[in-house]
Amino acid sequence: MKKLAVLGCGAQSQIFCLNAPKHLGNDYFVTSVCAKNHEHAVELANRVGGRAA
């Protein structure tokens, strides 16, 4: 299993995080999401099953 960390919670990051398992397969997992606004990071991390930073 390969781990991914995402920087930012903008529109492109959200699209990537939500579609990564479908396009990359089950070998990839979003482990953490980092953003300036912690609430946005928590919201996206909860949607993809990762942690917020």
Side-chain angles (χ1 to χ4, degrees), residues 28-41:
Y28 290 85
F29 178 70
V30 177
T31 59
S32 59
V33 178
C34 180
K36 284 185 195 179
N37 188 327
H38 185 69
E39 290 80 24
H40 292 164

PDB file of all heavy atoms in Angstrom, residues 28-41:
ATOM      1  N   TYR A  28      -3.300   2.796  -3.219  1.00  0.00           N
ATOM      2  CA  TYR A  28      -3.000   4.131  -2.714  1.00  0.00           C
ATOM      3  C   TYR A  28      -4.001   4.534  -1.646  1.00  0.00           C
ATOM      4  O   TYR A  28      -5.185   4.247  -1.737  1.00  0.00           O
ATOM      5  CB  TYR A  28      -3.039   5.149  -3.849  1.00  0.00           C
ATOM      6  CG  TYR A  28      -1.887   4.990  -4.809  1.00  0.00           C
ATOM      7  CD1 TYR A  28      -1.953   4.085  -5.859  1.00  0.00           C
ATOM      8  CD2 TYR A  28      -0.731   5.729  -4.657  1.00  0.00           C
ATOM      9  CE1 TYR A  28      -0.897   3.921  -6.737  1.00  0.00           C
ATOM     10  CE2 TYR A  28       0.330   5.581  -5.528  1.00  0.00           C
ATOM     11  CZ  TYR A  28       0.243   4.682  -6.567  1.00  0.00           C
ATOM     12  OH  TYR A  28       1.292   4.518  -7.424  1.00  0.00           O
ATOM     13  N   PHE A  29      -3.495   5.252  -0.619  1.00  0.00           N
ATOM     14  CA  PHE A  29      -4.326   5.671   0.496  1.00  0.00           C
ATOM     15  C   PHE A  29      -3.909   7.075   0.923  1.00  0.00           C
ATOM     16  O   PHE A  29      -2.720   7.331   1.130  1.00  0.00           O
ATOM     17  CB  PHE A  29      -4.152   4.690   1.661  1.00  0.00           C
ATOM     18  CG  PHE A  29      -4.932   5.050   2.884  1.00  0.00           C
ATOM     19  CD1 PHE A  29      -6.304   4.962   2.900  1.00  0.00           C
ATOM     20  CD2 PHE A  29      -4.273   5.478   4.019  1.00  0.00           C
ATOM     21  CE1 PHE A  29      -7.019   5.299   4.036  1.00  0.00           C
ATOM     22  CE2 PHE A  29      -4.983   5.813   5.150  1.00  0.00           C
ATOM     23  CZ  PHE A  29      -6.356   5.725   5.163  1.00  0.00           C
ATOM     24  N   VAL A  30      -4.864   7.996   1.042  1.00  0.00           N
ATOM     25  CA  VAL A  30      -4.569   9.350   1.510  1.00  0.00           C
ATOM     26  C   VAL A  30      -4.469   9.300   3.024  1.00  0.00           C
ATOM     27  O   VAL A  30      -5.451   9.047   3.718  1.00  0.00           O
ATOM     28  CB  VAL A  30      -5.667  10.345   1.060  1.00  0.00           C
ATOM     29  CG1 VAL A  30      -5.391  11.729   1.619  1.00  0.00           C
ATOM     30  CG2 VAL A  30      -5.759  10.389  -0.452  1.00  0.00           C
ATOM     31  N   THR A  31      -3.255   9.518   3.536  1.00  0.00           N
ATOM     32  CA  THR A  31      -3.037   9.412   4.977  1.00  0.00           C
ATOM     33  C   THR A  31      -3.202  10.732   5.697  1.00  0.00           C
ATOM     34  O   THR A  31      -3.605  10.749   6.852  1.00  0.00           O
ATOM     35  CB  THR A  31      -1.630   8.865   5.290  1.00  0.00           C
ATOM     36  OG1 THR A  31      -0.672   9.747   4.718  1.00  0.00           O
ATOM     37  CG2 THR A  31      -1.461   7.477   4.753  1.00  0.00           C
ATOM     38  N   SER A  32      -2.873  11.842   5.024  1.00  0.00           N
ATOM     39  CA  SER A  32      -2.987  13.127   5.701  1.00  0.00           C
ATOM     40  C   SER A  32      -3.297  14.249   4.715  1.00  0.00           C
ATOM     41  O   SER A  32      -2.957  14.171   3.542  1.00  0.00           O
ATOM     42  CB  SER A  32      -1.704  13.452   6.472  1.00  0.00           C
ATOM     43  OG  SER A  32      -0.612  13.478   5.596  1.00  0.00           O
ATOM     44  N   VAL A  33      -3.940  15.267   5.261  1.00  0.00           N
ATOM     45  CA  VAL A  33      -4.297  16.456   4.494  1.00  0.00           C
ATOM     46  C   VAL A  33      -3.798  17.663   5.283  1.00  0.00           C
ATOM     47  O   VAL A  33      -4.073  17.788   6.471  1.00  0.00           O
ATOM     48  CB  VAL A  33      -5.828  16.552   4.301  1.00  0.00           C
ATOM     49  CG1 VAL A  33      -6.200  17.811   3.554  1.00  0.00           C
ATOM     50  CG2 VAL A  33      -6.355  15.328   3.581  1.00  0.00           C
ATOM     51  N   CYS A  34      -3.057  18.535   4.623  1.00  0.00           N
ATOM     52  CA  CYS A  34      -2.492  19.713   5.274  1.00  0.00           C
ATOM     53  C   CYS A  34      -3.033  20.968   4.601  1.00  0.00           C
ATOM     54  O   CYS A  34      -3.068  21.044   3.378  1.00  0.00           O
ATOM     55  CB  CYS A  34      -0.971  19.666   5.180  1.00  0.00           C
ATOM     56  SG  CYS A  34      -0.174  21.068   5.960  1.00  0.00           S
ATOM     57  N   ALA A  35      -3.466  21.944   5.403  1.00  0.00           N
ATOM     58  CA  ALA A  35      -3.982  23.194   4.858  1.00  0.00           C
ATOM     59  C   ALA A  35      -3.778  24.324   5.859  1.00  0.00           C
ATOM     60  O   ALA A  35      -3.580  24.070   7.051  1.00  0.00           O
ATOM     61  CB  ALA A  35      -5.458  23.053   4.522  1.00  0.00           C
ATOM     62  N   LYS A  36      -3.847  25.558   5.373  1.00  0.00           N
ATOM     63  CA  LYS A  36      -3.747  26.710   6.267  1.00  0.00           C
ATOM     64  C   LYS A  36      -4.912  26.724   7.246  1.00  0.00           C
ATOM     65  O   LYS A  36      -4.734  26.983   8.429  1.00  0.00           O
ATOM     66  CB  LYS A  36      -3.781  28.014   5.465  1.00  0.00           C
ATOM     67  CG  LYS A  36      -2.531  28.349   4.748  1.00  0.00           C
ATOM     68  CD  LYS A  36      -2.711  29.727   4.114  1.00  0.00           C
ATOM     69  CE  LYS A  36      -1.666  30.014   3.093  1.00  0.00           C
ATOM     70  NZ  LYS A  36      -1.870  31.331   2.473  1.00  0.00           N
ATOM     71  N   ASN A  37      -6.089  26.477   6.738  1.00  0.00           N
ATOM     72  CA  ASN A  37      -7.295  26.486   7.559  1.00  0.00           C
ATOM     73  C   ASN A  37      -7.527  25.072   8.091  1.00  0.00           C
ATOM     74  O   ASN A  37      -7.857  24.161   7.329  1.00  0.00           O
ATOM     75  CB  ASN A  37      -8.488  26.955   6.720  1.00  0.00           C
ATOM     76  CG  ASN A  37      -9.725  27.180   7.547  1.00  0.00           C
ATOM     77  OD1 ASN A  37      -9.964  26.499   8.526  1.00  0.00           O
ATOM     78  ND2 ASN A  37     -10.513  28.147   7.134  1.00  0.00           N
ATOM     79  N   HIS A  38      -7.357  24.898   9.384  1.00  0.00           N
ATOM     80  CA  HIS A  38      -7.441  23.563   9.982  1.00  0.00           C
ATOM     81  C   HIS A  38      -8.827  22.940   9.808  1.00  0.00           C
ATOM     82  O   HIS A  38      -8.941  21.731   9.603  1.00  0.00           O
ATOM     83  CB  HIS A  38      -7.073  23.619  11.466  1.00  0.00           C
ATOM     84  CG  HIS A  38      -7.023  22.279  12.118  1.00  0.00           C
ATOM     85  ND1 HIS A  38      -6.043  21.350  11.807  1.00  0.00           N
ATOM     86  CD2 HIS A  38      -7.821  21.691  13.030  1.00  0.00           C
ATOM     87  CE1 HIS A  38      -6.249  20.260  12.516  1.00  0.00           C
ATOM     88  NE2 HIS A  38      -7.320  20.445  13.273  1.00  0.00           N
ATOM     89  N   GLU A  39      -9.872  23.754   9.872  1.00  0.00           N
ATOM     90  CA  GLU A  39     -11.230  23.215   9.718  1.00  0.00           C
ATOM     91  C   GLU A  39     -11.420  22.601   8.332  1.00  0.00           C
ATOM     92  O   GLU A  39     -12.068  21.565   8.194  1.00  0.00           O
ATOM     93  CB  GLU A  39     -12.280  24.299   9.965  1.00  0.00           C
ATOM     94  CG  GLU A  39     -12.380  24.745  11.401  1.00  0.00           C
ATOM     95  CD  GLU A  39     -11.295  25.746  11.785  1.00  0.00           C
ATOM     96  OE1 GLU A  39     -10.770  26.438  10.870  1.00  0.00           O
ATOM     97  OE2 GLU A  39     -10.954  25.812  12.963  1.00  0.00           O
ATOM     98  N   HIS A  40     -10.859  23.229   7.307  1.00  0.00           N
ATOM     99  CA  HIS A  40     -10.963  22.683   5.953  1.00  0.00           C
ATOM    100  C   HIS A  40     -10.193  21.368   5.851  1.00  0.00           C
ATOM    101  O   HIS A  40     -10.653  20.416   5.208  1.00  0.00           O
ATOM    102  CB  HIS A  40     -10.433  23.673   4.923  1.00  0.00           C
ATOM    103  CG  HIS A  40     -11.273  24.892   4.778  1.00  0.00           C
ATOM    104  ND1 HIS A  40     -10.830  26.028   4.166  1.00  0.00           N
ATOM    105  CD2 HIS A  40     -12.542  25.150   5.167  1.00  0.00           C
ATOM    106  CE1 HIS A  40     -11.783  26.944   4.181  1.00  0.00           C
ATOM    107  NE2 HIS A  40     -12.835  26.425   4.792  1.00  0.00           N
ATOM    108  N   ALA A  41      -9.031  21.313   6.490  1.00  0.00           N
ATOM    109  CA  ALA A  41      -8.235  20.079   6.476  1.00  0.00           C
ATOM    110  C   ALA A  41      -8.974  18.955   7.174  1.00  0.00           C
ATOM    111  O   ALA A  41      -8.992  17.817   6.701  1.00  0.00           O
ATOM    112  CB  ALA A  41      -6.876  20.318   7.121  1.00  0.00           C
TER     113      ALA A  41
END
